[in-house]
Amino acid sequence: MTTSAITKVSEQLCFGGKQIRYKHQSAVLHCDMQFSVFLPPQAETARVPALYWLSGLTCTDENFSSKAGAQQFAAKLGIALIIPDTSPRGDDVPDDENAAYDFGLGAGFYVNATQAPFNKHYKMYDYIVSELPELVEAALPLTDKRAISGHSMGGHGALVIGLRNPERYCSISAFSPICNPANSPWGIKAFNGYLGEDRSQWQQYDASLLLRDAKKVAPILVDQGSADNFYPEQLRTASLVEAASLNDVNAEIRLQPGYDHSYYFIASFIGEHLHFHAQYLK
Ligand SMILES: N[C@@H](CCC(=O)N[C@@H](CSC=O)C(=O)NCC(=O)O)C(=O)O
């Protein structure tokens, strides 16, 4: 079934709501894309607010949909979940030269690439901030109230997009985010490839650098597992803690003892994140 510019691929009943997958042609990314949506039961009779979830390296929209267990909380709280893919897709889309997992396909880093050959398709920042909300808010029973969350590379994306657009997102949360990509091996590789060597262009995509100077900051909740194999080298959580204390913002950054980087960690705390966002989405 086609609803304006988006076409339904699949639909399942879930906790009284609907778990739906759509495909569409992205004008921003110049390729066909898929994304997933959970519509809570309340969306049958009224428009509902939405939490955007940005996934991490190697993910599609299906990792969070099938592993996090978020739908049971979203159904009770009357919140839609909008779950995009992590990069442009398709045979025409350039990938890492060695098909590595941390650059190219599945690793868009939620930036607008400026460097050839990536600058035609890799405009994930504009896709998440503008194109996708315009599409889903026109086609689905959604209000324009939005919150944003994500994991790892997606936690970086959620923090950066939420911090740069305080008028568009009422709350921000993240699991195991890459907090200071300008100084992490994953981030340095991605920013060099997508943005080039001029580090002044990297600052707009680094949550710790943005948070130091941000004027208006939505409430933030971050969870980081102490047994995460990417912590602290890749994730650099201490930089975000320092920036939050320098700017005196409403940010709770929690170290959760014994948890790792996996979706078992996300599933353990996703209910608390949904309840956190529900306070501000009402
Ligand atoms: N394959 C890589 C690690 C890949 C990985 O751990 N991906 C995470 C996100 S990491 C940061 O963005 C993930 O969410 N994977 C999908 C899942 O369902 O768990 C390696 O071997 O190091």
Side-chain angles (χ1 to χ4, degrees), residues 2 19 27 29 34 43 57 73 178 182 222 249 254 259 271 275:
T2 299
Q19 183 68 36
L29 303 178
Q34 300 206 49
L57 294 166
F73 303 104
I178 307 171
V222 172
V249 294
R254 311 188 297 197
Y259 286 92
H275 279 275

Side-chain angles (χ1 to χ4, degrees), residues 56-59 63 67 101 151-154 178 186 230 261-263:
L57 294 166
T58 72
C59 290
N63 298 69
K67 289 182 168 182
Y101 76 94
H151 172 229
S152 197
M153 175 184 74
I178 307 171
W186 277 338
F230 299 119
H261 199 71
S262 71
Y263 267 85

Side-chain angles (χ1 to χ4, degrees), residues 151-153 175-178 186 224-225 227-231 235 259-266:
H151 172 229
S152 197
M153 175 184 74
F175 290 84
S176 336
I178 307 171
W186 277 338
Q224 173 60 52
D228 182 331
N229 54 328
F230 299 119
Y231 171 78
L235 306 176
Y259 286 92
D260 66 13
H261 199 71
S262 71
Y263 267 85
Y264 294 109
F265 173 45
I266 298 171

Side-chain angles (χ1 to χ4, degrees), residues 105-177:
L105 297 175
F109 270 83
Y110 305 102
V111 302
N112 286 337
T114 56
Q115 304 299 298
F118 303 103
N119 52 350
K120 177 177 178 190
H121 297 282
Y122 284 81
K123 303 283 186 189
M124 287 299 288
Y125 180 88
D126 284 349
Y127 179 67
I128 302 298
V129 174
S130 304
E131 186 178 37
L132 188 59
E134 278 170 29
L135 277 174
V136 295
E137 287 170 20
L140 302 173
L142 301 175
T143 68
D144 62 0
K145 273 276 200 185
R146 308 174 201 98
I148 192 158
S149 185
H151 172 229
S152 197
M153 175 184 74
H156 138 76
L159 288 166
V160 165
I161 287 172
L163 287 169
R164 285 177 56 177
N165 300 277
E167 74 293 346
R168 291 182 68 78
Y169 303 94
C170 60
S171 48
I172 306 167
S173 80
F175 290 84
S176 336

Side-chain angles (χ1 to χ4, degrees), residues 193-221:
Y194 295 133
L195 306 174
E197 290 173 3
D198 177 0
R199 292 179 68 98
S200 70
Q201 297 305 309
W202 299 10
Q203 294 192 4
Q204 61 188 313
Y205 296 113
D206 186 296
S208 297
L209 301 177
L210 290 169
L211 186 57
R212 280 166 190 260
D213 300 323
K215 297 282 178 275
K216 184 179 172 203
V217 179
I220 297 173
L221 173 64

Side-chain angles (χ1 to χ4, degrees), residues 56-85:
L57 294 166
T58 72
C59 290
T60 69
D61 54 306
E62 292 194 296
N63 298 69
F64 181 75
S65 304
S66 61
K67 289 182 168 182
Q71 294 91 343
Q72 60 187 304
F73 303 104
K76 285 205 179 95
L77 294 166
I79 298 173
L81 304 172
I82 312 295
I83 311 155
D85 204 343

